[in-house]
Amino acid sequence: MGYTIIYMLLSYCLQYQQVPILCYHNISKADDGKEDLLHISEKHFQQQMQYLYNNGYTAITPDGLYAHMNGGAPLPSKSIMITFDDSHETHYSLAVPVLNQFHFRGVFFIMTVCLNKTGWLTASEIRDMSDQGHIIACHTWDHTNLALHPSYNVNEQIVKPKALLEKITGTSVCYFAFPYGEWNEQAIKDLKQANYIGAFQLASHQQSTDPNFTVRRIMVSGKWTAVQLKEAIDKAFILP
Ligand SMILES: [Zn+2]
């Protein structure tokens, strides 16, 4: 109840529609029963996407969300965003085929330190995902917690990964996800300086003073049924 009041007030203050944004991490082939907020099996991921598809959701991109937030561009009535953190190779081999099956576009936040290493996304996979219409975005070089380590190297963590991902995809890379969802004002300032348009965090409140750089997401448990996914979405986001 407390959350509901807070988010109703927030929606009123921000003057735009809240869009549920889901955050996935590891996706595994096997359904080994060890699923949690960081792990989901291909089967359960497929079931969750099927639920969203059956219930009329449209997966929007960051460009669509920011056009709505900043200029009132209309969104589909049941909008959702489906994001993936940390560059796991299974994002390409397991998640993308499921997304494509339902005509959902995903948003992939890449940490470039593991590029081309075993078990992690390769440059050609990232390029192919981008060419297929999925969105490639940045998640630092090596997953440094920017809020916890304020002396981080801006060039290494924020500037160079953007340039590298732009070279790989041949498109602009304008969005960022804070490792661990943790952010502070200095990190936001550095992102703006490096020409990012916006950034995604996790569960702390979106800031009315800087909403573009504090967009909220929820981590999805691999254990959730479709009904539990719906309940989590409804609890976290005030929807039209
Ligand atoms: Zn991460």
Side-chain angles (χ1 to χ4, degrees):
M1 187 62 187
Y3 280 118
T4 304
I5 291 168
I6 287 167
Y7 291 128
M8 282 178 76
L9 284 170
L10 191 65
S11 295
Y12 176 76
C13 294
L14 294 174
Q15 295 290 316
Y16 49 76
Q17 178 181 327
Q18 290 272 297
V19 173
I21 306 180
L22 309 180
C23 176
Y24 291 95
H25 286 80
N26 295 278
I27 300 172
S28 58
K29 189 83 189 157
D31 178 6
D32 56 10
K34 291 181 184 163
E35 297 172 307
D36 56 21
L37 285 171
L38 291 172
H39 300 84
I40 189 167
S41 67
E42 179 189 29
K43 180 180 153 198
H44 287 156
F45 179 68
Q46 162 100 23
Q47 288 170 348
Q48 292 184 354
M49 294 302 105
Q50 180 82 57
Y51 169 81
L52 297 177
Y53 179 80
N54 290 349
N55 285 275
Y57 282 94
T58 301
I60 65 165
T61 63
D63 279 349
L65 177 67
Y66 280 77
H68 174 68
M69 286 169 58
N70 295 286
L75 290 176
S77 62
K78 290 185 90 173
S79 293
I80 199 155
M81 195 183 299
I82 306 164
T83 74
F84 302 81
D85 286 11
D86 298 350
S87 322
H88 298 286
E89 196 281 331
T90 51
H91 292 174
Y92 180 77
S93 59
L94 299 180
V96 164
V98 175
L99 293 173
N100 290 347
Q101 178 188 346
F102 298 115
H103 307 290
F104 288 156
R105 296 169 78 184
V107 184
F108 295 87
F109 291 103
I110 311 290
M111 50 180 181
T112 47
V113 69
C114 52
L115 190 67
N116 298 323
K117 295 185 176 157
T118 305
W120 306 92
L121 290 170
T122 66
S124 63
E125 287 169 340
I126 290 169
R127 173 67 188 226
D128 192 34
M129 290 155 80
S130 177
D131 287 349
Q132 290 183 49
H134 301 289
I135 307 304
I136 301 302
C138 183
H139 197 40
T140 73
W141 172 59
D142 68 349
H143 214 267
T144 290
N145 184 327
L146 304 183
L148 206 60
H149 302 284
S151 60
Y152 64 84
N153 185 321
V154 178
N155 197 39
E156 290 293 332
Q157 301 294 348
I158 289 177
V159 177
K160 280 167 68 179
K162 181 180 195 291
L164 176 57
L165 292 170
E166 288 179 338
K167 190 173 164 207
I168 290 170
T169 60
T171 63
S172 298
V173 171
C174 304
Y175 302 99
F176 184 90
F178 296 103
Y180 311 97
E182 298 206 12
W183 57 276
N184 63 15
E185 290 187 4
Q186 182 59 49
I188 290 177
K189 199 171 146 202
D190 291 338
L191 289 168
K192 288 179 179 173
Q193 190 101 35
N195 294 320
Y196 285 88
I197 293 173
F200 294 74
Q201 48 139 341
L202 287 169
S204 65
H205 295 164
Q206 189 175 13
Q207 301 296 295
S208 57
T209 50
D210 225 333
N212 287 343
F213 283 81
T214 53
V215 174
R216 294 174 51 246
R217 303 182 291 164
I218 57 168
M219 290 172 66
V220 179
S221 172
K223 283 196 175 116
W224 287 348
T225 63
V227 171
Q228 288 171 310
L229 175 64
K230 182 190 183 310
E231 286 170 355
I233 289 171
D234 290 348
K235 186 178 166 195
F237 301 94
I238 296 298
L239 305 176

